[in-house]
Amino acid sequence: MKKTLLLIGAILCTLPMLAQPKLKADNIDEVLKAMTLEEKALLSCGRGWGMQLGGITGSAQILVPGAAGTTNAIPRLGIPATALPDGPAGIRINPTREGTTQTYYGTGFPVGTAIASSWDVELVENMTKAMGNEVLEYGADVLLAPGMNLHRNPLCGRNFEYFSEDPVVTGKIAAAYVKGIQSNGVGVSIKHFAANSQELNRNENDAIVSTRALRELYLKGFEIAVKDADPWTVMSSYNKLNGEYTQQSHDLLQKILRDDWGFKGIVMTDWGNKEGTVKAVYAGNDLMMPGSDVEQKRIVEAVKNGQLSMDDLDRNVRRILQYIVKTPHFRNYKYSDKPNLKAHAQAARAAATESMVLLKNEGESLPLASGKKVALFGASSVDFVAGGTGSGNVNKAYVIGLNDGLEHAGYVLDPVLKDYYQKYVDFKRVEMSAGSGAGSVLLGARKVPEAPLSRNFIDARVAGNDVAVVVIGRNSGEGADRRVDDDFNLTAAESQLLNDVCNAFHLAGKKVVVVLNIGGVIETNSWKNLPDAILLAWQPGQEGGDAVADVLSGKVNPSGKLTMTFPNTYMDHPSSLNFPRGTEQRGGGNMWGMRGGAPQKVKNLDYTNYDEDIWVGYRWFNTQNKAVSYPFGFGLSYTTFEYSKPVVKATSDGFTASVVVKNTGKVAGKEVVEVYVSAPKGGLEKPSRELKAFAKTKLLKPGESQTLTFKVSAYELASFNSAANQWETAAGEYTVFFAKNANCKCSSAKFSIKNPATFAVSNAYVK
Ligand code: BGC
């Protein structure tokens, strides 16, 4: 008996853990105190890409198959694992599972660039409410989204995931996105923080950016989203910023993100293990993703040998625990695995229609009455692109192509063309999947190239049809940037098709409509005079074909506007001078450089100088008076709008403004009003105007008006003075424009700021 008691006593002594607390929302410090160093290291590193949960607890469980990663569980302290699937165009998980016929499709929503083009924060929030419900109901905790890097250059392969070349549009759309997702009691990870503007050599590339361009452009969107929407997590990027990996930058993750902006959540790395884990922990990168045993060991060793203080590690682990107690897994939420996909498909369709941009509509060629006979040209009518490739690709149940969408809406498709394109695309897909052009799991299937059609064949399609619709499609995604030839510029086959169709149909007095099914900017200047109408449909998600038909038919009046400039030529963008265009864009190029194996060095691609500084997008084109094909903010409607004389009033902190918008046309429609500000001369050199606010009207009936009001603070008017390391709002007279696009000579009003204002920041990046 005595022996047994002694034995029990000994066990209790060697396992003090058995008596330890279980995690609750209000005992985080107690749990932290009870954690061993190894457990803290375990929690600081996750698991990912289908690897099993493991580590010192030995638990083996995959939470949501196909999710990009999970955090580690520590059952003895009641710390559950949490699941982190990708976005941003919907939840990305495996659609099928072994041992069941049930499916787990995510809804394919329109891509980031599309939803930003709606300029409608309410719409975005409603759409992501539906998306976040799928995160919750499929048993996940955080959606790795939204992607919100700036469109520094049109060729970035992931621009389709991102919102805009402008930080105010980016920040406000991102904030709405975050609010919608998080209203479900699940989180987001806004990404990729920061200056992750290219795919080529994305793991090692060093973005060399001035402090001013950083603060005003590349960080501004993140700042707005953090302050307005309180995201649960932020994802640090793969790249370096001014010589240091972002995930290891104390300046970025502590001084700017937390000290300057007040971020309260956790920072996780983008998916790759780098050397320098200890530096990342110190910098405030709380979670290493996907995380590895090697990284855990590094953390343990560093604390033991004094390289890393326990206080710094505790600070991160405390934040991770604060995150965990908010999650559905901690709440033990009983998810259904059966979100309402039908209702969400409707939300996707509505968002897609509100996001399309009407670029041209000569002679009121659109809308097209239902019942019309349509000659539908272009391989993309069948090989329709719902969204881009890579981690941003959603495993959706179906995609409605434009051919199907037009038929659903009552148009009669030319049967010869319909049959031809279906067979051509089917054949090409088989041919491409057998060859080296097949693509890969990550890069996704390549797009089917345009089909060559003879002029005789096209001529023969004119008589039996009322109108021609030509679809031009593009796809791109993670791991590769786009090219100028045959991507930004049209391919020879596309140019030929467009020319021949326009010639043939115009000869017979029939109209031609172009539908752009693209995720980023293409060249339009050389051919936009050919067709009668151009509808920019973006990559509109799984309901795309129906959504395009909604707009072509006039069921929905287009109200989207461009969130980036369409330049006349690629080289017109100053960033094109130093946007690396390598030849090793697929497979090579060290886009991974991660776990196992030393990173390969890619010559001349180790860094990118952001020499254009703050002159990105319309800031450059406007200030230089440089002609563009379509300006930032541009978009037409089937109706017309008039703005009243605006009222602008200086306040003690900036200005307030209002303008009355009236629908002066014949059909109902919505209008986006863009508010740009020109600052007084003197002081820092500034763009001729900068967007400071925007709003969209409700659906206005013909003759109906709505007053839109705006409030802009002195801080929002400030520019960053790097020499003084502070934001500065100059005194003097400001002009406020109420504009239909960045170029328009539109109604304006003035107000004055009497006293200059300055806003202090931490000393990040001050060398
Ligand atoms: C991408 C991230 C993504 C992560 C997890 C990375 O390669 O850059 O955007 O969230 O993988 O899939």
PDB file of all heavy atoms in Angstrom, residues 545-564:
ATOM      1  N   GLY A 545     -21.605  33.379 -66.235  1.00  0.00           N
ATOM      2  CA  GLY A 545     -22.361  33.473 -67.486  1.00  0.00           C
ATOM      3  C   GLY A 545     -23.731  34.109 -67.270  1.00  0.00           C
ATOM      4  O   GLY A 545     -24.165  34.970 -68.056  1.00  0.00           O
ATOM      5  N   ASP A 546     -24.402  33.715 -66.211  1.00  0.00           N
ATOM      6  CA  ASP A 546     -25.719  34.303 -65.912  1.00  0.00           C
ATOM      7  C   ASP A 546     -25.574  35.781 -65.553  1.00  0.00           C
ATOM      8  O   ASP A 546     -26.412  36.611 -65.920  1.00  0.00           O
ATOM      9  CB  ASP A 546     -26.381  33.572 -64.740  1.00  0.00           C
ATOM     10  CG  ASP A 546     -26.993  32.235 -65.172  1.00  0.00           C
ATOM     11  OD1 ASP A 546     -27.150  32.036 -66.397  1.00  0.00           O
ATOM     12  OD2 ASP A 546     -27.288  31.400 -64.293  1.00  0.00           O
ATOM     13  N   ALA A 547     -24.511  36.088 -64.815  1.00  0.00           N
ATOM     14  CA  ALA A 547     -24.314  37.479 -64.376  1.00  0.00           C
ATOM     15  C   ALA A 547     -24.036  38.380 -65.581  1.00  0.00           C
ATOM     16  O   ALA A 547     -24.574  39.493 -65.676  1.00  0.00           O
ATOM     17  CB  ALA A 547     -23.171  37.550 -63.369  1.00  0.00           C
ATOM     18  N   VAL A 548     -23.219  37.887 -66.525  1.00  0.00           N
ATOM     19  CA  VAL A 548     -22.948  38.702 -67.721  1.00  0.00           C
ATOM     20  C   VAL A 548     -24.255  38.919 -68.488  1.00  0.00           C
ATOM     21  O   VAL A 548     -24.554  40.028 -68.945  1.00  0.00           O
ATOM     22  CB  VAL A 548     -21.899  38.027 -68.635  1.00  0.00           C
ATOM     23  CG1 VAL A 548     -21.709  38.832 -69.910  1.00  0.00           C
ATOM     24  CG2 VAL A 548     -20.553  37.899 -67.915  1.00  0.00           C
ATOM     25  N   ALA A 549     -25.034  37.855 -68.598  1.00  0.00           N
ATOM     26  CA  ALA A 549     -26.315  37.970 -69.319  1.00  0.00           C
ATOM     27  C   ALA A 549     -27.242  38.972 -68.616  1.00  0.00           C
ATOM     28  O   ALA A 549     -27.968  39.725 -69.277  1.00  0.00           O
ATOM     29  CB  ALA A 549     -26.975  36.601 -69.423  1.00  0.00           C
ATOM     30  N   ASP A 550     -27.218  39.003 -67.294  1.00  0.00           N
ATOM     31  CA  ASP A 550     -28.038  39.975 -66.548  1.00  0.00           C
ATOM     32  C   ASP A 550     -27.719  41.398 -66.993  1.00  0.00           C
ATOM     33  O   ASP A 550     -28.609  42.249 -67.115  1.00  0.00           O
ATOM     34  CB  ASP A 550     -27.760  39.883 -65.037  1.00  0.00           C
ATOM     35  CG  ASP A 550     -28.392  38.649 -64.405  1.00  0.00           C
ATOM     36  OD1 ASP A 550     -29.300  38.063 -65.025  1.00  0.00           O
ATOM     37  OD2 ASP A 550     -27.964  38.282 -63.289  1.00  0.00           O
ATOM     38  N   VAL A 551     -26.413  41.655 -67.208  1.00  0.00           N
ATOM     39  CA  VAL A 551     -26.003  43.021 -67.556  1.00  0.00           C
ATOM     40  C   VAL A 551     -26.229  43.285 -69.048  1.00  0.00           C
ATOM     41  O   VAL A 551     -26.726  44.349 -69.430  1.00  0.00           O
ATOM     42  CB  VAL A 551     -24.530  43.265 -67.146  1.00  0.00           C
ATOM     43  CG1 VAL A 551     -24.050  44.618 -67.639  1.00  0.00           C
ATOM     44  CG2 VAL A 551     -24.393  43.170 -65.623  1.00  0.00           C
ATOM     45  N   LEU A 552     -25.887  42.312 -69.899  1.00  0.00           N
ATOM     46  CA  LEU A 552     -26.089  42.520 -71.345  1.00  0.00           C
ATOM     47  C   LEU A 552     -27.569  42.755 -71.655  1.00  0.00           C
ATOM     48  O   LEU A 552     -27.920  43.529 -72.533  1.00  0.00           O
ATOM     49  CB  LEU A 552     -25.587  41.304 -72.144  1.00  0.00           C
ATOM     50  CG  LEU A 552     -24.074  41.080 -72.171  1.00  0.00           C
ATOM     51  CD1 LEU A 552     -23.730  39.836 -73.006  1.00  0.00           C
ATOM     52  CD2 LEU A 552     -23.321  42.288 -72.721  1.00  0.00           C
ATOM     53  N   SER A 553     -28.427  42.088 -70.898  1.00  0.00           N
ATOM     54  CA  SER A 553     -29.864  42.186 -71.189  1.00  0.00           C
ATOM     55  C   SER A 553     -30.498  43.425 -70.544  1.00  0.00           C
ATOM     56  O   SER A 553     -31.644  43.750 -70.838  1.00  0.00           O
ATOM     57  CB  SER A 553     -30.581  40.947 -70.646  1.00  0.00           C
ATOM     58  OG  SER A 553     -30.506  40.961 -69.232  1.00  0.00           O
ATOM     59  N   GLY A 554     -29.772  44.071 -69.647  1.00  0.00           N
ATOM     60  CA  GLY A 554     -30.332  45.243 -68.994  1.00  0.00           C
ATOM     61  C   GLY A 554     -31.133  44.900 -67.747  1.00  0.00           C
ATOM     62  O   GLY A 554     -31.705  45.779 -67.096  1.00  0.00           O
ATOM     63  N   LYS A 555     -31.180  43.612 -67.403  1.00  0.00           N
ATOM     64  CA  LYS A 555     -31.855  43.237 -66.150  1.00  0.00           C
ATOM     65  C   LYS A 555     -31.161  43.969 -65.006  1.00  0.00           C
ATOM     66  O   LYS A 555     -31.789  44.405 -64.040  1.00  0.00           O
ATOM     67  CB  LYS A 555     -31.736  41.719 -65.980  1.00  0.00           C
ATOM     68  CG  LYS A 555     -32.546  41.155 -64.867  1.00  0.00           C
ATOM     69  CD  LYS A 555     -32.513  39.635 -64.936  1.00  0.00           C
ATOM     70  CE  LYS A 555     -32.869  39.051 -63.586  1.00  0.00           C
ATOM     71  NZ  LYS A 555     -32.536  37.640 -63.510  1.00  0.00           N
ATOM     72  N   VAL A 556     -29.842  44.063 -65.106  1.00  0.00           N
ATOM     73  CA  VAL A 556     -29.070  44.878 -64.161  1.00  0.00           C
ATOM     74  C   VAL A 556     -28.332  45.951 -64.963  1.00  0.00           C
ATOM     75  O   VAL A 556     -27.679  45.641 -65.960  1.00  0.00           O
ATOM     76  CB  VAL A 556     -28.042  44.020 -63.392  1.00  0.00           C
ATOM     77  CG1 VAL A 556     -27.194  44.891 -62.478  1.00  0.00           C
ATOM     78  CG2 VAL A 556     -28.741  42.926 -62.592  1.00  0.00           C
ATOM     79  N   ASN A 557     -28.468  47.182 -64.525  1.00  0.00           N
ATOM     80  CA  ASN A 557     -27.780  48.298 -65.180  1.00  0.00           C
ATOM     81  C   ASN A 557     -26.347  48.350 -64.651  1.00  0.00           C
ATOM     82  O   ASN A 557     -26.145  48.438 -63.434  1.00  0.00           O
ATOM     83  CB  ASN A 557     -28.531  49.586 -64.842  1.00  0.00           C
ATOM     84  CG  ASN A 557     -28.003  50.784 -65.619  1.00  0.00           C
ATOM     85  OD1 ASN A 557     -26.953  50.700 -66.272  1.00  0.00           O
ATOM     86  ND2 ASN A 557     -28.723  51.884 -65.532  1.00  0.00           N
ATOM     87  N   PRO A 558     -25.316  48.293 -65.513  1.00  0.00           N
ATOM     88  CA  PRO A 558     -23.946  48.264 -64.988  1.00  0.00           C
ATOM     89  C   PRO A 558     -23.606  49.521 -64.188  1.00  0.00           C
ATOM     90  O   PRO A 558     -23.983  50.629 -64.578  1.00  0.00           O
ATOM     91  CB  PRO A 558     -23.083  48.179 -66.249  1.00  0.00           C
ATOM     92  CG  PRO A 558     -23.964  48.622 -67.370  1.00  0.00           C
ATOM     93  CD  PRO A 558     -25.363  48.288 -66.970  1.00  0.00           C
ATOM     94  N   SER A 559     -22.909  49.319 -63.082  1.00  0.00           N
ATOM     95  CA  SER A 559     -22.563  50.470 -62.233  1.00  0.00           C
ATOM     96  C   SER A 559     -21.145  50.354 -61.696  1.00  0.00           C
ATOM     97  O   SER A 559     -20.747  51.118 -60.828  1.00  0.00           O
ATOM     98  CB  SER A 559     -23.544  50.567 -61.069  1.00  0.00           C
ATOM     99  OG  SER A 559     -23.492  49.379 -60.296  1.00  0.00           O
ATOM    100  N   GLY A 560     -20.359  49.389 -62.210  1.00  0.00           N
ATOM    101  CA  GLY A 560     -18.986  49.252 -61.750  1.00  0.00           C
ATOM    102  C   GLY A 560     -18.095  50.317 -62.376  1.00  0.00           C
ATOM    103  O   GLY A 560     -18.428  50.890 -63.414  1.00  0.00           O
ATOM    104  N   LYS A 561     -16.988  50.587 -61.718  1.00  0.00           N
ATOM    105  CA  LYS A 561     -15.991  51.520 -62.263  1.00  0.00           C
ATOM    106  C   LYS A 561     -14.603  50.934 -62.037  1.00  0.00           C
ATOM    107  O   LYS A 561     -14.390  50.177 -61.082  1.00  0.00           O
ATOM    108  CB  LYS A 561     -16.121  52.879 -61.587  1.00  0.00           C
ATOM    109  CG  LYS A 561     -17.472  53.532 -61.882  1.00  0.00           C
ATOM    110  CD  LYS A 561     -17.426  55.026 -61.708  1.00  0.00           C
ATOM    111  CE  LYS A 561     -18.761  55.649 -62.082  1.00  0.00           C
ATOM    112  NZ  LYS A 561     -18.730  57.104 -62.006  1.00  0.00           N
ATOM    113  N   LEU A 562     -13.686  51.320 -62.897  1.00  0.00           N
ATOM    114  CA  LEU A 562     -12.333  50.761 -62.818  1.00  0.00           C
ATOM    115  C   LEU A 562     -11.646  51.160 -61.521  1.00  0.00           C
ATOM    116  O   LEU A 562     -11.731  52.321 -61.103  1.00  0.00           O
ATOM    117  CB  LEU A 562     -11.488  51.251 -63.994  1.00  0.00           C
ATOM    118  CG  LEU A 562     -11.951  50.861 -65.387  1.00  0.00           C
ATOM    119  CD1 LEU A 562     -11.030  51.472 -66.439  1.00  0.00           C
ATOM    120  CD2 LEU A 562     -11.981  49.345 -65.532  1.00  0.00           C
ATOM    121  N   THR A 563     -10.952  50.200 -60.926  1.00  0.00           N
ATOM    122  CA  THR A 563     -10.157  50.531 -59.735  1.00  0.00           C
ATOM    123  C   THR A 563      -8.678  50.611 -60.091  1.00  0.00           C
ATOM    124  O   THR A 563      -7.823  50.590 -59.214  1.00  0.00           O
ATOM    125  CB  THR A 563     -10.364  49.487 -58.623  1.00  0.00           C
ATOM    126  OG1 THR A 563      -9.947  48.216 -59.133  1.00  0.00           O
ATOM    127  CG2 THR A 563     -11.804  49.424 -58.179  1.00  0.00           C
ATOM    128  N   MET A 564      -8.424  50.657 -61.385  1.00  0.00           N
ATOM    129  CA  MET A 564      -7.041  50.824 -61.868  1.00  0.00           C
ATOM    130  C   MET A 564      -7.098  51.467 -63.250  1.00  0.00           C
ATOM    131  O   MET A 564      -8.132  51.420 -63.912  1.00  0.00           O
ATOM    132  CB  MET A 564      -6.295  49.482 -61.909  1.00  0.00           C
ATOM    133  CG  MET A 564      -6.648  48.567 -63.046  1.00  0.00           C
ATOM    134  SD  MET A 564      -8.359  48.031 -63.080  1.00  0.00           S
ATOM    135  CE  MET A 564      -8.351  46.858 -61.738  1.00  0.00           C
TER     136      MET A 564
END
